[in-house]
Amino acid sequence: MNNPYKIIRKPLITEKGTFQTEDNNSYNFLVDLKANKSEVKQAVEGLFKVKVLSVNTMVRKGKRKGVAYRQYRRSNYKRAVVTLREGDTIEFI
């Protein structure tokens, strides 16, 4: 997986993530399930031109959703919390 656009799917903008950004200079991303921490680090540094200090990943299990007889299950996804060096920021438009 050398293409950073296949590793980093999209940023996750949540209330908890916003607090992490303000307090710890950490950003949340939705990443490919097969990507490891070093690949995520290289992808973020390459795409945003910042210095990454640490990467924490977690696989979130998909939830069951639906109404009455129409039950379905959302797919699993991997979330990465990326901590940046002091002074570096990422701008999302």
Side-chain angles (χ1 to χ4, degrees), residues 61-72:
K61 301 296 181 189
K63 297 180 182 181
R64 292 186 181 270
K65 294 291 183 178
V67 179
Y69 61 89
R70 294 185 181 187
Q71 295 282 327
Y72 65 96

Side-chain angles (χ1 to χ4, degrees), residues 1 8 10 12 17 20 22 24 27 32 40 53 58-59 62 67 74 81-82 90 92:
M1 286 198 168
I8 305 290
K10 64 179 181 177
L12 288 175
Q20 285 179 339
E22 294 170 357
N24 305 330
Y27 294 87
D32 187 34
V40 172
L53 295 180
M58 60 201 85
V59 176
V67 179
R74 290 186 179 171
V81 180
V82 178
I90 297 175
F92 300 119

Side-chain angles (χ1 to χ4, degrees), residues 19-69:
F19 290 134
Q20 285 179 339
T21 300
E22 294 170 357
D23 296 339
N24 305 330
N25 202 22
S26 299
Y27 294 87
N28 296 315
F29 294 98
L30 181 69
V31 298
D32 187 34
L33 279 170
K34 297 176 184 174
N36 59 29
K37 291 181 181 186
S38 62
E39 290 174 340
V40 172
K41 180 179 178 177
Q42 290 173 358
V44 170
E45 287 178 347
L47 287 174
F48 300 108
K49 307 294 188 255
V50 293
K51 177 67 177 160
V52 175
L53 295 180
S54 67
V55 176
N56 296 333
T57 60
M58 60 201 85
V59 176
R60 307 300 298 260
K61 301 296 181 189
K63 297 180 182 181
R64 292 186 181 270
K65 294 291 183 178
V67 179
Y69 61 89

